[in-house]
Short mmCIF file of all heavy atoms in Angstrom, two decimals:
data_model
loop_
_atom_site.label_atom_id
_atom_site.label_comp_id
_atom_site.label_asym_id
_atom_site.label_seq_id
_atom_site.Cartn_x
_atom_site.Cartn_y
_atom_site.Cartn_z
N ASP A 1 6.10 -13.55 15.41
CA ASP A 1 7.16 -12.95 16.31
C ASP A 1 6.95 -11.44 16.52
O ASP A 1 6.98 -10.88 17.65
CB ASP A 1 8.52 -13.26 15.82
CG ASP A 1 8.82 -14.68 15.68
OD1 ASP A 1 8.34 -15.42 16.55
OD2 ASP A 1 9.40 -15.14 14.70
N TYR A 2 6.74 -10.72 15.45
CA TYR A 2 6.57 -9.33 15.48
C TYR A 2 5.38 -8.98 16.37
O TYR A 2 5.44 -8.06 17.25
CB TYR A 2 6.24 -8.75 14.09
CG TYR A 2 7.42 -8.55 13.17
CD1 TYR A 2 8.14 -9.64 12.60
CD2 TYR A 2 7.80 -7.27 12.82
CE1 TYR A 2 9.21 -9.43 11.84
CE2 TYR A 2 8.91 -7.06 11.99
CZ TYR A 2 9.65 -8.16 11.44
OH TYR A 2 10.61 -7.95 10.62
N ALA A 3 4.35 -9.62 16.26
CA ALA A 3 3.05 -9.33 16.90
C ALA A 3 3.31 -9.66 18.41
O ALA A 3 2.89 -8.79 19.32
CB ALA A 3 1.96 -10.19 16.43
N ALA A 4 3.92 -10.64 18.72
CA ALA A 4 4.14 -11.06 20.14
C ALA A 4 5.16 -10.07 20.91
O ALA A 4 4.84 -9.63 22.01
CB ALA A 4 4.75 -12.47 20.30
N VAL A 5 6.13 -9.61 20.21
CA VAL A 5 7.06 -8.71 20.68
C VAL A 5 6.45 -7.39 20.94
O VAL A 5 6.52 -6.75 22.02
CB VAL A 5 8.32 -8.53 19.81
CG1 VAL A 5 9.22 -7.24 20.22
CG2 VAL A 5 9.20 -9.80 19.86
N MET A 6 5.71 -6.88 19.96
CA MET A 6 5.08 -5.54 20.12
C MET A 6 3.94 -5.57 21.10
O MET A 6 3.67 -4.63 21.93
CB MET A 6 4.47 -5.14 18.72
CG MET A 6 4.89 -3.72 18.32
SD MET A 6 4.28 -3.30 16.74
CE MET A 6 3.93 -1.55 17.01
N ALA A 7 3.19 -6.69 21.14
CA ALA A 7 2.12 -6.82 22.21
C ALA A 7 2.73 -6.77 23.63
O ALA A 7 2.17 -6.20 24.49
CB ALA A 7 1.36 -8.04 21.99
N SER A 8 3.85 -7.48 23.75
CA SER A 8 4.60 -7.49 25.02
C SER A 8 5.02 -6.05 25.47
O SER A 8 4.85 -5.64 26.58
CB SER A 8 5.80 -8.45 24.98
OG SER A 8 5.46 -9.72 24.68
N MET A 9 5.57 -5.30 24.48
CA MET A 9 6.08 -3.98 24.72
C MET A 9 4.93 -3.09 25.20
O MET A 9 4.97 -2.36 26.18
CB MET A 9 6.79 -3.35 23.57
CG MET A 9 8.03 -4.18 23.19
SD MET A 9 8.77 -3.58 21.66
CE MET A 9 9.67 -2.23 22.27
N LEU A 10 3.78 -3.11 24.54
CA LEU A 10 2.69 -2.22 24.69
C LEU A 10 1.97 -2.58 25.99
O LEU A 10 1.53 -1.82 26.81
CB LEU A 10 1.74 -2.18 23.62
CG LEU A 10 2.41 -1.57 22.26
CD1 LEU A 10 1.43 -1.65 21.06
CD2 LEU A 10 2.82 -0.08 22.54
N ARG A 11 1.67 -3.94 26.28
CA ARG A 11 1.06 -4.36 27.42
C ARG A 11 1.85 -3.97 28.71
O ARG A 11 1.28 -3.60 29.74
CB ARG A 11 0.87 -5.86 27.43
CG ARG A 11 -0.23 -6.30 26.41
CD ARG A 11 -0.46 -7.87 26.47
NE ARG A 11 -1.35 -8.38 25.44
CZ ARG A 11 -1.87 -9.57 25.39
NH1 ARG A 11 -1.57 -10.46 26.24
NH2 ARG A 11 -2.66 -9.82 24.23
N SER A 12 3.19 -4.03 28.55
CA SER A 12 4.02 -3.65 29.68
C SER A 12 3.90 -2.14 29.99
O SER A 12 4.35 -1.81 31.08
CB SER A 12 5.43 -4.04 29.47
OG SER A 12 6.10 -3.20 28.52
N GLN A 13 3.40 -1.46 29.07
CA GLN A 13 3.17 -0.01 29.33
C GLN A 13 1.68 0.30 29.62
O GLN A 13 1.20 1.43 29.40
CB GLN A 13 3.65 0.81 28.10
CG GLN A 13 5.11 0.96 28.06
CD GLN A 13 5.69 1.91 29.10
OE1 GLN A 13 5.20 2.94 29.36
NE2 GLN A 13 6.67 1.43 29.82
N ALA A 14 0.96 -0.74 30.06
CA ALA A 14 -0.52 -0.62 30.35
C ALA A 14 -1.30 -0.15 29.19
O ALA A 14 -2.38 0.47 29.40
CB ALA A 14 -0.67 0.31 31.57
N ILE A 15 -0.96 -0.46 27.95
CA ILE A 15 -1.74 -0.23 26.82
C ILE A 15 -2.34 -1.65 26.40
O ILE A 15 -1.62 -2.50 25.87
CB ILE A 15 -0.90 0.38 25.66
CG1 ILE A 15 -0.28 1.64 26.18
CG2 ILE A 15 -1.78 0.53 24.45
CD1 ILE A 15 0.64 2.31 25.15
N PRO A 16 -3.63 -1.84 26.53
CA PRO A 16 -4.31 -3.06 26.14
C PRO A 16 -4.02 -3.40 24.67
O PRO A 16 -4.24 -2.56 23.79
CB PRO A 16 -5.79 -2.86 26.38
CG PRO A 16 -5.80 -1.75 27.41
CD PRO A 16 -4.64 -0.86 27.02
N THR A 17 -3.51 -4.56 24.37
CA THR A 17 -3.11 -4.93 23.06
C THR A 17 -3.54 -6.35 22.74
O THR A 17 -3.25 -7.31 23.49
CB THR A 17 -1.59 -4.88 22.83
OG1 THR A 17 -1.23 -3.53 23.19
CG2 THR A 17 -1.19 -5.04 21.45
N ARG A 18 -4.24 -6.56 21.53
CA ARG A 18 -4.62 -7.84 21.19
C ARG A 18 -3.76 -8.39 20.13
O ARG A 18 -3.39 -7.72 19.19
CB ARG A 18 -6.09 -7.86 20.65
CG ARG A 18 -7.18 -7.34 21.51
CD ARG A 18 -8.55 -7.52 21.00
NE ARG A 18 -8.81 -6.73 19.82
CZ ARG A 18 -10.04 -6.22 19.47
NH1 ARG A 18 -11.06 -6.37 20.37
NH2 ARG A 18 -10.25 -5.51 18.37
N LEU A 19 -3.27 -9.71 20.34
CA LEU A 19 -2.60 -10.47 19.28
C LEU A 19 -3.68 -11.13 18.45
O LEU A 19 -4.47 -11.96 18.99
CB LEU A 19 -1.58 -11.40 19.78
CG LEU A 19 -0.69 -12.00 18.79
CD1 LEU A 19 0.63 -12.43 19.48
CD2 LEU A 19 -1.25 -13.24 18.06
N GLU A 20 -3.90 -10.83 17.18
CA GLU A 20 -4.98 -11.35 16.34
C GLU A 20 -4.39 -12.31 15.32
O GLU A 20 -3.31 -11.97 14.74
CB GLU A 20 -5.77 -10.25 15.68
CG GLU A 20 -6.27 -9.25 16.77
CD GLU A 20 -7.36 -8.35 16.28
OE1 GLU A 20 -8.03 -8.77 15.28
OE2 GLU A 20 -7.59 -7.24 16.86
N VAL A 21 -5.01 -13.24 15.07
CA VAL A 21 -4.65 -14.29 14.07
C VAL A 21 -5.90 -14.63 13.08
O VAL A 21 -6.94 -14.71 13.56
CB VAL A 21 -4.22 -15.67 14.64
CG1 VAL A 21 -3.87 -16.67 13.54
CG2 VAL A 21 -2.93 -15.34 15.53
N GLY A 22 -5.64 -14.53 11.83
CA GLY A 22 -6.74 -14.70 10.81
C GLY A 22 -6.17 -14.80 9.52
O GLY A 22 -5.13 -15.29 9.18
N TYR A 23 -7.02 -14.23 8.49
CA TYR A 23 -6.71 -14.37 7.16
C TYR A 23 -6.73 -13.03 6.41
O TYR A 23 -7.49 -12.10 6.74
CB TYR A 23 -7.76 -15.20 6.46
CG TYR A 23 -7.58 -16.74 6.75
CD1 TYR A 23 -8.27 -17.27 7.89
CD2 TYR A 23 -6.75 -17.58 6.04
CE1 TYR A 23 -8.11 -18.61 8.22
CE2 TYR A 23 -6.62 -18.91 6.38
CZ TYR A 23 -7.28 -19.46 7.46
OH TYR A 23 -7.17 -20.73 7.85
N LYS A 24 -5.85 -12.95 5.44
CA LYS A 24 -5.93 -11.84 4.41
C LYS A 24 -6.16 -12.52 3.14
O LYS A 24 -5.24 -13.21 2.52
CB LYS A 24 -4.65 -11.02 4.33
CG LYS A 24 -4.74 -9.90 3.30
CD LYS A 24 -3.45 -9.07 3.26
CE LYS A 24 -2.39 -9.77 2.62
NZ LYS A 24 -2.59 -9.82 1.11
N GLY A 25 -7.39 -12.54 2.61
CA GLY A 25 -7.67 -13.47 1.50
C GLY A 25 -7.51 -14.87 2.01
O GLY A 25 -8.20 -15.27 2.98
N GLU A 26 -6.72 -15.67 1.27
CA GLU A 26 -6.53 -17.02 1.69
C GLU A 26 -5.29 -17.23 2.43
O GLU A 26 -4.87 -18.42 2.78
CB GLU A 26 -6.46 -17.99 0.39
CG GLU A 26 -7.78 -17.96 -0.34
CD GLU A 26 -7.72 -18.85 -1.62
OE1 GLU A 26 -6.65 -19.28 -1.95
OE2 GLU A 26 -8.68 -18.96 -2.26
N GLU A 27 -4.53 -16.12 2.83
CA GLU A 27 -3.27 -16.30 3.51
C GLU A 27 -3.44 -16.11 5.04
O GLU A 27 -4.18 -15.22 5.50
CB GLU A 27 -2.28 -15.32 2.90
CG GLU A 27 -2.04 -15.51 1.45
CD GLU A 27 -1.21 -14.40 0.85
OE1 GLU A 27 -1.21 -13.26 1.46
OE2 GLU A 27 -0.53 -14.69 -0.21
N TYR A 28 -2.67 -16.89 5.77
CA TYR A 28 -2.81 -16.83 7.24
C TYR A 28 -1.78 -15.78 7.73
O TYR A 28 -0.74 -15.65 7.35
CB TYR A 28 -2.35 -18.17 7.79
CG TYR A 28 -3.02 -18.55 9.06
CD1 TYR A 28 -4.34 -18.20 9.41
CD2 TYR A 28 -2.25 -19.30 9.97
CE1 TYR A 28 -4.89 -18.55 10.58
CE2 TYR A 28 -2.89 -19.68 11.24
CZ TYR A 28 -4.21 -19.34 11.48
OH TYR A 28 -4.81 -19.77 12.81
N HIS A 29 -2.30 -14.89 8.62
CA HIS A 29 -1.57 -13.73 9.18
C HIS A 29 -1.66 -13.60 10.66
O HIS A 29 -2.48 -14.25 11.35
CB HIS A 29 -2.08 -12.47 8.64
CG HIS A 29 -1.92 -12.33 7.13
ND1 HIS A 29 -0.84 -11.71 6.60
CD2 HIS A 29 -2.57 -12.81 6.12
CE1 HIS A 29 -0.98 -11.66 5.26
NE2 HIS A 29 -1.97 -12.39 4.96
N ALA A 30 -0.71 -12.82 11.25
CA ALA A 30 -0.87 -12.45 12.73
C ALA A 30 -0.57 -11.02 12.67
O ALA A 30 0.24 -10.42 12.01
CB ALA A 30 0.20 -13.19 13.57
N TRP A 31 -1.29 -10.26 13.57
CA TRP A 31 -1.09 -8.77 13.70
C TRP A 31 -1.66 -8.33 15.07
O TRP A 31 -1.94 -9.21 15.91
CB TRP A 31 -1.80 -8.01 12.63
CG TRP A 31 -3.40 -8.16 12.58
CD1 TRP A 31 -4.25 -7.35 13.20
CD2 TRP A 31 -4.12 -9.21 11.99
NE1 TRP A 31 -5.49 -7.76 12.94
CE2 TRP A 31 -5.47 -8.93 12.23
CE3 TRP A 31 -3.75 -10.34 11.18
CZ2 TRP A 31 -6.54 -9.75 11.82
CZ3 TRP A 31 -4.77 -11.12 10.69
CH2 TRP A 31 -6.14 -10.83 10.95
N ILE A 32 -1.59 -7.06 15.40
CA ILE A 32 -2.10 -6.66 16.68
C ILE A 32 -3.04 -5.47 16.44
O ILE A 32 -3.00 -4.77 15.51
CB ILE A 32 -1.03 -6.21 17.67
CG1 ILE A 32 -0.26 -5.00 17.17
CG2 ILE A 32 0.01 -7.37 17.92
CD1 ILE A 32 0.81 -4.56 18.30
N SER A 33 -3.88 -5.32 17.42
CA SER A 33 -4.67 -4.03 17.52
C SER A 33 -4.62 -3.58 18.97
O SER A 33 -4.23 -4.30 19.79
CB SER A 33 -6.19 -4.31 17.21
OG SER A 33 -6.69 -5.35 18.07
N THR A 34 -4.80 -2.28 19.00
CA THR A 34 -4.48 -1.54 20.33
C THR A 34 -5.66 -0.66 20.76
O THR A 34 -6.34 -0.10 20.01
CB THR A 34 -3.22 -0.66 20.17
OG1 THR A 34 -2.14 -1.48 19.64
CG2 THR A 34 -2.85 -0.04 21.47
N TYR A 35 -5.84 -0.70 22.16
CA TYR A 35 -6.95 0.10 22.66
C TYR A 35 -6.36 1.43 23.27
O TYR A 35 -5.40 1.42 24.03
CB TYR A 35 -7.63 -0.67 23.87
CG TYR A 35 -8.87 -0.04 24.38
CD1 TYR A 35 -10.07 -0.28 23.95
CD2 TYR A 35 -8.63 0.89 25.48
CE1 TYR A 35 -11.17 0.45 24.41
CE2 TYR A 35 -9.81 1.50 26.01
CZ TYR A 35 -11.05 1.34 25.48
OH TYR A 35 -12.17 1.91 25.97
N ILE A 36 -7.00 2.53 22.78
CA ILE A 36 -6.59 3.83 23.29
C ILE A 36 -7.82 4.51 24.01
O ILE A 36 -8.91 4.54 23.49
CB ILE A 36 -6.09 4.68 22.13
CG1 ILE A 36 -4.95 4.14 21.43
CG2 ILE A 36 -5.75 6.13 22.60
CD1 ILE A 36 -3.71 3.91 22.23
N GLN A 37 -7.50 4.93 25.15
CA GLN A 37 -8.64 5.53 25.92
C GLN A 37 -9.31 6.76 25.18
O GLN A 37 -8.64 7.50 24.46
CB GLN A 37 -8.10 6.15 27.25
CG GLN A 37 -9.08 6.72 28.24
CD GLN A 37 -9.94 5.47 28.90
OE1 GLN A 37 -9.36 4.37 29.06
NE2 GLN A 37 -11.12 5.71 29.21
N ASP A 38 -10.69 6.75 25.29
CA ASP A 38 -11.50 7.80 24.64
C ASP A 38 -11.52 7.62 23.00
O ASP A 38 -12.18 8.30 22.34
CB ASP A 38 -10.93 9.16 24.87
CG ASP A 38 -11.07 9.53 26.32
OD1 ASP A 38 -12.05 9.00 27.05
OD2 ASP A 38 -10.20 10.33 26.78
#
């Protein structure tokens, strides 16, 4: 939920944002990364 909300907010401001899903150790996680010009 956190990742989806934050990605929505940043994409709506024309800031490319990836919602990423994967692992920290053996635990499943979701997070985001953001693209900044230059």
Side-chain angles (χ1 to χ4, degrees):
D1 299 322
Y2 279 71
V5 167
M6 229 175 144
S8 298
M9 297 175 79
L10 295 175
R11 289 185 188 186
S12 73
Q13 283 292 312
I15 300 176
T17 304
R18 297 189 299 214
L19 189 157
E20 306 197 23
V21 174
Y23 288 91
K24 180 179 79 72
E26 296 180 353
E27 299 173 336
Y28 210 37
H29 293 262
W31 63 94
I32 69 174
S33 57
T34 303
Y35 185 89
I36 302 297
Q37 189 70 33
D38 298 326

